[in-house]
Each structure stands twice: as structure tokens, then as C-alpha cells.
Amino acid sequence: MTDTTPREEPPLSTARDAALLAEVGELRAANEQLERALASRAVIDQACGMVMALAPCTSERAWDLLVGVSQRCNIKLRDVAAALVATTKDEALPAPVRQELRQALRRLHSADRR
């Protein structure tokens, strides 16, 4: 014989459920942040490769150069990198980035000559 009496469902708004929902929200936010970081990192790596081709140097020096341009222009590193990579699609570098990149490359070449 089958029991057909309705079962009582536990309340949905218990403290445990709220804690789990909060944790899921935090994990989703962290996941989105990691996805953005991975996408940014790929663009930054491409820009480093471009700098390494422009001024034969190590990846560390290319990274330092891009960080310096970012800091001097007060533009996020990922945005500097994206602007540099966009030049491969015939987009112009913003003037401040272009000027600072030119100066940074000159400083890099001068340091290599010493």
C-alpha cells in the first residue's frame, strides 16, 4: 500500500539555505572575476610578445615596460595591452600610450647599449 499523504516540505528560507545561496553567489562572482583575469592575461601576454619583437628583450623586461607605460599613463595594464594588440587591426594607439611606449622603448634600448 502506498502512502498518499502529503509530506511537509522544509521551509526554504532557513539560515542554512541563506548561507548556501550566499556562498553560491560568492563563488559565481569569483568565477566571473577569474574568467576576466584569464582573458586579460591573454591580451597582456600578446602585448608582451609584441614588445619583445619590437625591442628584443626578455618577457620580464617586456612586462616591466608595459607596467611602466600603464603607470605613467594612469591606464590599466589590460587596457594598455588591448590598445597595443588592437594596432594589429589597424587601430591607432591612444596618443599618451604611443608617446610613453616610444619613450619606454628608447629607455630600454639605451639601457641595453650600456
Side-chain angles (χ1 to χ4, degrees):
M1 186 164 201
T2 310
D3 184 13
T4 57
T5 58
R7 295 180 191 216
E8 204 172 299
E9 294 293 323
L12 294 176
S13 60
T14 64
R16 183 172 181 255
D17 290 339
L20 288 173
L21 285 174
E23 185 176 357
V24 166
E26 290 171 9
L27 289 171
R28 284 183 178 155
N31 188 44
E32 289 172 9
Q33 182 181 8
L34 287 171
E35 287 175 354
R36 284 191 304 271
L38 282 173
S40 293
R41 186 60 198 210
V43 171
I44 293 168
D45 286 344
Q46 290 172 0
C48 280
M50 293 174 71
V51 169
M52 291 167 63
L54 288 170
C57 64
T58 65
S59 60
E60 293 82 14
R61 289 186 84 181
W63 170 267
D64 291 343
L65 184 141
L66 288 173
V67 168
V69 169
S70 168
Q71 291 173 343
R72 286 185 177 90
C73 292
N74 197 26
I75 299 173
K76 292 186 184 227
L77 177 60
R78 68 174 177 256
D79 295 336
V80 169
L84 184 57
V85 170
T87 63
T88 64
K89 297 177 183 168
D90 294 328
E91 291 186 32
L93 271 175
V97 174
R98 184 178 61 248
Q99 292 167 351
E100 187 53 45
L101 181 61
R102 185 177 294 132
Q103 290 173 0
L105 287 169
R106 284 184 186 143
R107 286 190 298 271
L108 184 64
H109 285 296
S110 295
D112 286 344
R113 290 184 187 140
R114 291 181 198 164

mmCIF file of all heavy atoms in Angstrom, residues 36-76:
data_model
loop_
_atom_site.group_PDB
_atom_site.id
_atom_site.type_symbol
_atom_site.label_atom_id
_atom_site.label_comp_id
_atom_site.label_asym_id
_atom_site.label_seq_id
_atom_site.Cartn_x
_atom_site.Cartn_y
_atom_site.Cartn_z
ATOM 1 N N ARG A 36 37.540 36.875 -16.305
ATOM 2 C CA ARG A 36 38.027 38.171 -16.801
ATOM 3 C C ARG A 36 39.549 38.241 -16.704
ATOM 4 O O ARG A 36 40.215 38.750 -17.609
ATOM 5 C CB ARG A 36 37.391 39.325 -16.029
ATOM 6 C CG ARG A 36 35.955 39.606 -16.416
ATOM 7 C CD ARG A 36 35.460 40.912 -15.816
ATOM 8 N NE ARG A 36 35.574 40.979 -14.371
ATOM 9 C CZ ARG A 36 34.653 40.567 -13.511
ATOM 10 N NH1 ARG A 36 33.531 40.050 -13.941
ATOM 11 N NH2 ARG A 36 34.860 40.672 -12.212
ATOM 12 N N ALA A 37 40.095 37.736 -15.604
ATOM 13 C CA ALA A 37 41.547 37.760 -15.417
ATOM 14 C C ALA A 37 42.246 36.922 -16.482
ATOM 15 O O ALA A 37 43.288 37.330 -17.017
ATOM 16 C CB ALA A 37 41.909 37.265 -14.017
ATOM 17 N N LEU A 38 41.697 35.760 -16.801
ATOM 18 C CA LEU A 38 42.296 34.914 -17.837
ATOM 19 C C LEU A 38 42.254 35.591 -19.199
ATOM 20 O O LEU A 38 43.231 35.550 -19.951
ATOM 21 C CB LEU A 38 41.577 33.563 -17.909
ATOM 22 C CG LEU A 38 41.944 32.558 -16.832
ATOM 23 C CD1 LEU A 38 41.047 31.330 -16.916
ATOM 24 C CD2 LEU A 38 43.404 32.151 -16.954
ATOM 25 N N ALA A 39 41.131 36.231 -19.505
ATOM 26 C CA ALA A 39 41.019 36.935 -20.780
ATOM 27 C C ALA A 39 42.005 38.091 -20.829
ATOM 28 O O ALA A 39 42.675 38.311 -21.848
ATOM 29 C CB ALA A 39 39.587 37.427 -20.986
ATOM 30 N N SER A 40 42.117 38.839 -19.730
ATOM 31 C CA SER A 40 43.064 39.958 -19.675
ATOM 32 C C SER A 40 44.489 39.447 -19.811
ATOM 33 O O SER A 40 45.317 40.059 -20.492
ATOM 34 C CB SER A 40 42.925 40.714 -18.353
ATOM 35 O OG SER A 40 41.692 41.366 -18.281
ATOM 36 N N ARG A 41 44.782 38.347 -19.174
ATOM 37 C CA ARG A 41 46.142 37.808 -19.193
ATOM 38 C C ARG A 41 46.555 37.429 -20.608
ATOM 39 O O ARG A 41 47.701 37.645 -21.015
ATOM 40 C CB ARG A 41 46.248 36.608 -18.243
ATOM 41 C CG ARG A 41 47.645 36.083 -18.093
ATOM 42 C CD ARG A 41 48.550 37.151 -17.539
ATOM 43 N NE ARG A 41 49.932 36.813 -17.779
ATOM 44 C CZ ARG A 41 50.931 37.156 -17.015
ATOM 45 N NH1 ARG A 41 50.704 37.878 -15.943
ATOM 46 N NH2 ARG A 41 52.142 36.806 -17.302
ATOM 47 N N ALA A 42 45.616 36.882 -21.376
ATOM 48 C CA ALA A 42 45.936 36.502 -22.755
ATOM 49 C C ALA A 42 46.317 37.738 -23.572
ATOM 50 O O ALA A 42 47.289 37.712 -24.338
ATOM 51 C CB ALA A 42 44.756 35.780 -23.392
ATOM 52 N N VAL A 43 45.586 38.824 -23.405
ATOM 53 C CA VAL A 43 45.883 40.061 -24.134
ATOM 54 C C VAL A 43 47.218 40.640 -23.665
ATOM 55 O O VAL A 43 48.023 41.104 -24.480
ATOM 56 C CB VAL A 43 44.733 41.086 -23.957
ATOM 57 C CG1 VAL A 43 45.103 42.442 -24.522
ATOM 58 C CG2 VAL A 43 43.467 40.565 -24.614
ATOM 59 N N ILE A 44 47.459 40.592 -22.378
ATOM 60 C CA ILE A 44 48.726 41.105 -21.839
ATOM 61 C C ILE A 44 49.891 40.278 -22.380
ATOM 62 O O ILE A 44 50.933 40.835 -22.759
ATOM 63 C CB ILE A 44 48.699 41.127 -20.294
ATOM 64 C CG1 ILE A 44 47.683 42.171 -19.808
ATOM 65 C CG2 ILE A 44 50.090 41.406 -19.728
ATOM 66 C CD1 ILE A 44 47.357 42.087 -18.333
ATOM 67 N N ASP A 45 49.730 38.968 -22.449
ATOM 68 C CA ASP A 45 50.790 38.111 -22.994
ATOM 69 C C ASP A 45 51.052 38.435 -24.467
ATOM 70 O O ASP A 45 52.207 38.453 -24.906
ATOM 71 C CB ASP A 45 50.435 36.635 -22.827
ATOM 72 C CG ASP A 45 50.566 36.151 -21.394
ATOM 73 O OD1 ASP A 45 51.217 36.850 -20.581
ATOM 74 O OD2 ASP A 45 50.013 35.076 -21.087
ATOM 75 N N GLN A 46 49.989 38.709 -25.225
ATOM 76 C CA GLN A 46 50.160 39.082 -26.634
ATOM 77 C C GLN A 46 50.928 40.395 -26.747
ATOM 78 O O GLN A 46 51.836 40.529 -27.576
ATOM 79 C CB GLN A 46 48.804 39.210 -27.327
ATOM 80 C CG GLN A 46 48.100 37.893 -27.525
ATOM 81 C CD GLN A 46 46.676 38.072 -28.037
ATOM 82 O OE1 GLN A 46 46.208 39.181 -28.254
ATOM 83 N NE2 GLN A 46 45.990 36.955 -28.211
ATOM 84 N N ALA A 47 50.564 41.356 -25.908
ATOM 85 C CA ALA A 47 51.250 42.652 -25.926
ATOM 86 C C ALA A 47 52.714 42.485 -25.535
ATOM 87 O O ALA A 47 53.593 43.121 -26.132
ATOM 88 C CB ALA A 47 50.545 43.638 -24.998
ATOM 89 N N CYS A 48 52.993 41.647 -24.557
ATOM 90 C CA CYS A 48 54.389 41.379 -24.176
ATOM 91 C C CYS A 48 55.156 40.809 -25.361
ATOM 92 O O CYS A 48 56.305 41.198 -25.616
ATOM 93 C CB CYS A 48 54.452 40.410 -22.992
ATOM 94 S SG CYS A 48 54.173 41.173 -21.396
ATOM 95 N N GLY A 49 54.534 39.912 -26.081
ATOM 96 C CA GLY A 49 55.170 39.347 -27.269
ATOM 97 C C GLY A 49 55.469 40.410 -28.311
ATOM 98 O O GLY A 49 56.522 40.391 -28.957
ATOM 99 N N MET A 50 54.556 41.360 -28.468
ATOM 100 C CA MET A 50 54.783 42.449 -29.414
ATOM 101 C C MET A 50 55.963 43.309 -28.980
ATOM 102 O O MET A 50 56.801 43.687 -29.808
ATOM 103 C CB MET A 50 53.514 43.290 -29.558
ATOM 104 C CG MET A 50 52.373 42.544 -30.229
ATOM 105 S SD MET A 50 50.835 43.477 -30.247
ATOM 106 C CE MET A 50 51.253 44.748 -31.453
ATOM 107 N N VAL A 51 56.038 43.602 -27.687
ATOM 108 C CA VAL A 51 57.157 44.403 -27.173
ATOM 109 C C VAL A 51 58.462 43.634 -27.366
ATOM 110 O O VAL A 51 59.481 44.217 -27.777
ATOM 111 C CB VAL A 51 56.950 44.774 -25.685
ATOM 112 C CG1 VAL A 51 58.210 45.369 -25.078
ATOM 113 C CG2 VAL A 51 55.772 45.729 -25.542
ATOM 114 N N MET A 52 58.430 42.336 -27.114
ATOM 115 C CA MET A 52 59.634 41.522 -27.285
ATOM 116 C C MET A 52 60.102 41.530 -28.741
ATOM 117 O O MET A 52 61.297 41.486 -29.013
ATOM 118 C CB MET A 52 59.371 40.092 -26.810
ATOM 119 C CG MET A 52 59.195 39.991 -25.303
ATOM 120 S SD MET A 52 58.515 38.415 -24.750
ATOM 121 C CE MET A 52 59.809 37.294 -25.262
ATOM 122 N N ALA A 53 59.162 41.617 -29.680
ATOM 123 C CA ALA A 53 59.522 41.676 -31.098
ATOM 124 C C ALA A 53 60.040 43.063 -31.479
ATOM 125 O O ALA A 53 60.953 43.192 -32.297
ATOM 126 C CB ALA A 53 58.318 41.309 -31.960
ATOM 127 N N LEU A 54 59.454 44.110 -30.890
ATOM 128 C CA LEU A 54 59.868 45.486 -31.202
ATOM 129 C C LEU A 54 61.266 45.790 -30.670
ATOM 130 O O LEU A 54 62.052 46.462 -31.333
ATOM 131 C CB LEU A 54 58.876 46.491 -30.597
ATOM 132 C CG LEU A 54 57.513 46.597 -31.257
ATOM 133 C CD1 LEU A 54 56.581 47.438 -30.399
ATOM 134 C CD2 LEU A 54 57.659 47.192 -32.649
ATOM 135 N N ALA A 55 61.525 45.368 -29.473
ATOM 136 C CA ALA A 55 62.801 45.646 -28.822
ATOM 137 C C ALA A 55 63.288 44.342 -28.227
ATOM 138 O O ALA A 55 62.964 44.032 -27.095
ATOM 139 C CB ALA A 55 62.613 46.677 -27.710
ATOM 140 N N PRO A 56 64.005 43.577 -28.990
ATOM 141 C CA PRO A 56 64.396 42.268 -28.477
ATOM 142 C C PRO A 56 64.780 42.324 -26.994
ATOM 143 O O PRO A 56 65.741 42.997 -26.620
ATOM 144 C CB PRO A 56 65.578 41.880 -29.369
ATOM 145 C CG PRO A 56 65.314 42.603 -30.651
ATOM 146 C CD PRO A 56 64.668 43.901 -30.231
ATOM 147 N N CYS A 57 63.944 41.692 -26.201
ATOM 148 C CA CYS A 57 64.159 41.670 -24.754
ATOM 149 C C CYS A 57 63.464 40.445 -24.186
ATOM 150 O O CYS A 57 62.736 39.752 -24.882
ATOM 151 C CB CYS A 57 63.614 42.958 -24.112
ATOM 152 S SG CYS A 57 61.831 43.170 -24.256
ATOM 153 N N THR A 58 63.692 40.226 -22.913
ATOM 154 C CA THR A 58 63.059 39.091 -22.234
ATOM 155 C C THR A 58 61.600 39.410 -21.949
ATOM 156 O O THR A 58 61.176 40.572 -21.983
ATOM 157 C CB THR A 58 63.763 38.795 -20.898
ATOM 158 O OG1 THR A 58 63.562 39.923 -20.025
ATOM 159 C CG2 THR A 58 65.245 38.528 -21.088
ATOM 160 N N SER A 59 60.860 38.386 -21.631
ATOM 161 C CA SER A 59 59.446 38.588 -21.284
ATOM 162 C C SER A 59 59.307 39.424 -20.014
ATOM 163 O O SER A 59 58.366 40.217 -19.889
ATOM 164 C CB SER A 59 58.723 37.246 -21.135
ATOM 165 O OG SER A 59 59.316 36.472 -20.117
ATOM 166 N N GLU A 60 60.252 39.284 -19.089
ATOM 167 C CA GLU A 60 60.211 40.066 -17.856
ATOM 168 C C GLU A 60 60.385 41.560 -18.140
ATOM 169 O O GLU A 60 59.693 42.401 -17.582
ATOM 170 C CB GLU A 60 61.277 39.599 -16.856
ATOM 171 C CG GLU A 60 61.056 38.208 -16.290
ATOM 172 C CD GLU A 60 61.540 37.092 -17.221
ATOM 173 O OE1 GLU A 60 62.298 37.371 -18.194
ATOM 174 O OE2 GLU A 60 61.163 35.936 -16.992
ATOM 175 N N ARG A 61 61.329 41.862 -19.034
ATOM 176 C CA ARG A 61 61.552 43.274 -19.385
ATOM 177 C C ARG A 61 60.356 43.829 -20.150
ATOM 178 O O ARG A 61 59.987 44.985 -19.967
ATOM 179 C CB ARG A 61 62.843 43.431 -20.178
ATOM 180 C CG ARG A 61 64.054 43.204 -19.267
ATOM 181 C CD ARG A 61 65.333 43.491 -19.944
ATOM 182 N NE ARG A 61 65.595 44.944 -19.845
ATOM 183 C CZ ARG A 61 66.654 45.516 -20.372
ATOM 184 N NH1 ARG A 61 67.524 44.787 -21.047
ATOM 185 N NH2 ARG A 61 66.844 46.797 -20.258
ATOM 186 N N ALA A 62 59.758 43.025 -21.006
ATOM 187 C CA ALA A 62 58.569 43.470 -21.740
ATOM 188 C C ALA A 62 57.424 43.742 -20.766
ATOM 189 O O ALA A 62 56.715 44.749 -20.882
ATOM 190 C CB ALA A 62 58.161 42.419 -22.770
ATOM 191 N N TRP A 63 57.266 42.848 -19.785
ATOM 192 C CA TRP A 63 56.240 43.038 -18.752
ATOM 193 C C TRP A 63 56.488 44.346 -17.994
ATOM 194 O O TRP A 63 55.577 45.148 -17.820
ATOM 195 C CB TRP A 63 56.249 41.846 -17.797
ATOM 196 C CG TRP A 63 55.406 42.038 -16.577
ATOM 197 C CD1 TRP A 63 55.812 42.521 -15.371
ATOM 198 C CD2 TRP A 63 54.009 41.789 -16.446
ATOM 199 N NE1 TRP A 63 54.758 42.575 -14.500
ATOM 200 C CE2 TRP A 63 53.639 42.130 -15.125
ATOM 201 C CE3 TRP A 63 53.036 41.286 -17.308
ATOM 202 C CZ2 TRP A 63 52.340 41.999 -14.656
ATOM 203 C CZ3 TRP A 63 51.742 41.152 -16.826
ATOM 204 C CH2 TRP A 63 51.405 41.511 -15.524
ATOM 205 N N ASP A 64 57.727 44.535 -17.553
ATOM 206 C CA ASP A 64 58.079 45.754 -16.813
ATOM 207 C C ASP A 64 57.816 47.006 -17.649
ATOM 208 O O ASP A 64 57.334 48.015 -17.130
ATOM 209 C CB ASP A 64 59.540 45.716 -16.370
ATOM 210 C CG ASP A 64 59.808 44.672 -15.293
ATOM 211 O OD1 ASP A 64 58.841 44.209 -14.657
ATOM 212 O OD2 ASP A 64 60.988 44.310 -15.106
ATOM 213 N N LEU A 65 58.142 46.937 -18.924
ATOM 214 C CA LEU A 65 57.919 48.077 -19.804
ATOM 215 C C LEU A 65 56.426 48.409 -19.877
ATOM 216 O O LEU A 65 56.025 49.567 -19.743
ATOM 217 C CB LEU A 65 58.473 47.776 -21.195
ATOM 218 C CG LEU A 65 58.396 48.914 -22.202
ATOM 219 C CD1 LEU A 65 59.647 48.956 -23.050
ATOM 220 C CD2 LEU A 65 57.178 48.785 -23.077
ATOM 221 N N LEU A 66 55.592 47.391 -20.074
ATOM 222 C CA LEU A 66 54.144 47.619 -20.160
ATOM 223 C C LEU A 66 53.577 48.133 -18.844
ATOM 224 O O LEU A 66 52.708 49.015 -18.835
ATOM 225 C CB LEU A 66 53.421 46.341 -20.593
ATOM 226 C CG LEU A 66 53.618 45.937 -22.050
ATOM 227 C CD1 LEU A 66 52.998 44.574 -22.314
ATOM 228 C CD2 LEU A 66 53.044 46.979 -22.997
ATOM 229 N N VAL A 67 54.066 47.596 -17.746
ATOM 230 C CA VAL A 67 53.618 48.080 -16.431
ATOM 231 C C VAL A 67 53.996 49.551 -16.265
ATOM 232 O O VAL A 67 53.189 50.357 -15.797
ATOM 233 C CB VAL A 67 54.211 47.217 -15.285
ATOM 234 C CG1 VAL A 67 53.998 47.875 -13.931
ATOM 235 C CG2 VAL A 67 53.586 45.828 -15.309
ATOM 236 N N GLY A 68 55.212 49.900 -16.682
ATOM 237 C CA GLY A 68 55.651 51.293 -16.592
ATOM 238 C C GLY A 68 54.786 52.217 -17.443
ATOM 239 O O GLY A 68 54.401 53.306 -17.004
ATOM 240 N N VAL A 69 54.473 51.805 -18.658
ATOM 241 C CA VAL A 69 53.603 52.607 -19.526
ATOM 242 C C VAL A 69 52.241 52.771 -18.866
ATOM 243 O O VAL A 69 51.683 53.874 -18.828
ATOM 244 C CB VAL A 69 53.470 51.955 -20.930
ATOM 245 C CG1 VAL A 69 52.368 52.616 -21.745
ATOM 246 C CG2 VAL A 69 54.801 52.004 -21.661
ATOM 247 N N SER A 70 51.735 51.693 -18.326
ATOM 248 C CA SER A 70 50.434 51.728 -17.645
ATOM 249 C C SER A 70 50.448 52.726 -16.492
ATOM 250 O O SER A 70 49.533 53.547 -16.351
ATOM 251 C CB SER A 70 50.094 50.325 -17.138
ATOM 252 O OG SER A 70 49.015 50.349 -16.249
ATOM 253 N N GLN A 71 51.478 52.658 -15.686
ATOM 254 C CA GLN A 71 51.563 53.540 -14.521
ATOM 255 C C GLN A 71 51.743 54.997 -14.918
ATOM 256 O O GLN A 71 51.105 55.892 -14.357
ATOM 257 C CB GLN A 71 52.703 53.091 -13.603
ATOM 258 C CG GLN A 71 52.413 51.780 -12.916
ATOM 259 C CD GLN A 71 53.592 51.240 -12.139
ATOM 260 O OE1 GLN A 71 54.733 51.651 -12.328
ATOM 261 N NE2 GLN A 71 53.320 50.293 -11.245
ATOM 262 N N ARG A 72 52.605 55.243 -15.889
ATOM 263 C CA ARG A 72 52.863 56.633 -16.300
ATOM 264 C C ARG A 72 51.653 57.266 -16.990
ATOM 265 O O ARG A 72 51.459 58.473 -16.908
ATOM 266 C CB ARG A 72 54.081 56.692 -17.206
ATOM 267 C CG ARG A 72 55.374 56.502 -16.442
ATOM 268 C CD ARG A 72 56.585 56.679 -17.352
ATOM 269 N NE ARG A 72 57.807 56.555 -16.606
ATOM 270 C CZ ARG A 72 58.454 55.402 -16.410
ATOM 271 N NH1 ARG A 72 57.975 54.286 -16.904
ATOM 272 N NH2 ARG A 72 59.576 55.377 -15.722
ATOM 273 N N CYS A 73 50.861 56.432 -17.684
ATOM 274 C CA CYS A 73 49.670 56.950 -18.370
ATOM 275 C C CYS A 73 48.432 56.896 -17.477
ATOM 276 O O CYS A 73 47.380 57.407 -17.851
ATOM 277 C CB CYS A 73 49.402 56.138 -19.637
ATOM 278 S SG CYS A 73 50.641 56.355 -20.914
ATOM 279 N N ASN A 74 48.572 56.242 -16.328
ATOM 280 C CA ASN A 74 47.444 56.039 -15.420
ATOM 281 C C ASN A 74 46.292 55.325 -16.134
ATOM 282 O O ASN A 74 45.131 55.729 -16.054
ATOM 283 C CB ASN A 74 46.978 57.363 -14.805
ATOM 284 C CG ASN A 74 46.116 57.137 -13.587
ATOM 285 O OD1 ASN A 74 46.220 56.114 -12.916
ATOM 286 N ND2 ASN A 74 45.231 58.080 -13.307
ATOM 287 N N ILE A 75 46.657 54.284 -16.856
ATOM 288 C CA ILE A 75 45.699 53.446 -17.581
ATOM 289 C C ILE A 75 45.952 52.008 -17.152
ATOM 290 O O ILE A 75 47.106 51.584 -17.043
ATOM 291 C CB ILE A 75 45.896 53.582 -19.112
ATOM 292 C CG1 ILE A 75 45.676 55.028 -19.548
ATOM 293 C CG2 ILE A 75 44.964 52.651 -19.868
ATOM 294 C CD1 ILE A 75 46.012 55.293 -21.005
ATOM 295 N N LYS A 76 44.894 51.263 -16.941
ATOM 296 C CA LYS A 76 45.053 49.873 -16.506
ATOM 297 C C LYS A 76 45.907 49.098 -17.503
ATOM 298 O O LYS A 76 45.818 49.308 -18.708
ATOM 299 C CB LYS A 76 43.696 49.204 -16.359
ATOM 300 C CG LYS A 76 42.902 49.770 -15.206
ATOM 301 C CD LYS A 76 41.631 49.002 -14.992
ATOM 302 C CE LYS A 76 40.871 49.688 -13.888
ATOM 303 N NZ LYS A 76 40.361 48.834 -12.901
#
